[in-house]
Amino acid sequence: MTTSGRPRREQGRAPLRSLRSRSRVLGRGTGLAAVLGLSRACHPGPTAAVTALVAALAVASGRDAAGCAVVAAAVLTGQLSIGWCNDAVDAERDIAASRTGKPVVDGMVSVRTLWAAAITALVLCVPLSLASGPMAGAVHLAGVAAAWAYDLGLKATMLSWLPYVVGFGVLPAFVTLGLPGHPWPAWWAVLAAALFGCGAHLANVLPDIPADLATGVRGWPQRLGAARVRVLIPVPLFLATGLLVFGPPDRPGAGGWAALAGAGAFAAAGLSLGGRSPRVPFAAAVAVAAVGVVLLLARGTGIAAP
C-alpha cells in the first residue's frame, strides 16, 4: 500500500537522496571551478565598488602612492573576507531556497573553501589596515568586524542596519587618520557615509526579501516589507547628498545644487518605477550614491576636520 502514489521504499529514499545531494554541493569545488566560485562568491560588484571608492578618496585626500596602495589593499582584503563569510554562512539557506547562481549551490566551491578564504583574507586585512597607522587601522578593522557581525547573525535582527552604518561610516576616518597629523574626518563626511550605508543595506536586501522571509531571515528591511523598503530607500541617500552639499562651511555652488537636483531626480525615478522590478530601486540607489561619491571626491582634503 502507498500513501501518495510512491512505493513506501522510495518515499524513505527521497530524503536520503536529498541529503546526499546537499552534501555533494556543500563538499564539492576544487581546481578551476573553486577559483571561479570564489571570484563569484566574494560579491565582486560591491567589493570592487567599495575598494575603488575608498582608493579614490585616498588619492583625493592627498595620500601618497604607497599610502593609496595600502588603503586599497586593506579595503579589498576586508571586503573579500566579508563576501566569502556571507556566502559560507548563508550556504544552507541558499540551498533551501534553491538560489541558483550562488557558487555553493551550483557546486563550484565548498563551504570549507569559503571559510578558509574568508579567514585568510581577514588575517591579511589586519596588517594592511594597521599599515596606515594604529588609529586608522583600528577604525577600519572595527568596520570589518561590524560587517562580519552582520554575516554571523545581525542580518536576521532589527539591528541589521547597524553594521552597514558602521562599516560605511568608518571609511572617511580610515582615509584621514592615515594622513600626516592623523586628523579626524569632518562630521558631515562621516554621517553622509553612514547614511549611504543605510541606503545600501535597504537597496541590497530588497530583491531578496521574499526568499529571506521563506528561510527565516527577519532583519529590519524584511520586517518592513518590500513596499515600505522601496519607498524608504531614497531617503537616507538623498539626506547623505544634502549633507555633502550643505555640511561643509563654504556655501554650496552651482555644482552642489546640480548634484542635489540630480540625486533628487534619480531618487524620484526609483520611487516611481520601483513597482516594475525590485532591481529598479537598486539601480536608482546606485545612481544617487554615484552623485554622492563625486561630491565626496570633489571635497578631497576638505573631508578632514580642521
Side-chain angles (χ1 to χ4, degrees), residues 49 52-54 56-57 60 168 196 240-241 244 286-300:
L53 164 61
V54 183
L57 190 59
F168 276 73
F196 278 127
T241 306
L244 293 174
V286 170
V288 176
V291 173
V293 167
V294 171
L295 284 172
L296 196 57
L297 294 177
R299 291 293 175 184

Side-chain angles (χ1 to χ4, degrees), residues 49-170:
V50 173
T51 302
L53 164 61
V54 183
L57 190 59
V59 172
S61 68
R63 295 285 295 264
D64 59 21
C68 292
V70 166
V71 165
V75 174
L76 177 60
T77 52
Q79 292 298 306
L80 287 173
S81 77
I82 294 163
W84 286 328
C85 174
N86 182 275
D87 269 29
V89 171
D90 286 351
E92 289 282 359
R93 283 193 291 264
D94 289 338
I95 293 167
S98 299
R99 288 182 175 172
T100 55
K102 286 283 188 177
V104 172
V105 179
D106 294 342
M108 299 180 68
V109 65
S110 69
V111 174
R112 181 179 298 178
T113 300
L114 284 176
W115 277 122
I119 293 170
T120 300
L122 183 63
V123 170
L124 290 173
C125 181
V126 174
L128 288 169
S129 298
L130 294 174
S132 290
M135 285 296 296
V139 164
H140 181 244
L141 291 173
V144 174
W148 270 67
Y150 175 87
D151 289 345
L152 295 174
L154 277 181
K155 68 189 301 179
T157 73
M158 277 294 292
L159 294 177
S160 62
W161 55 271
L162 185 58
Y164 273 82
V165 167
V166 173
F168 276 73
V170 302

Side-chain angles (χ1 to χ4, degrees), residues 189-211:
V190 174
L191 187 52
L195 285 168
F196 278 127
C198 182
H201 175 42
L202 293 169
N204 185 53
V205 169
L206 178 59
D208 296 326
I209 286 179

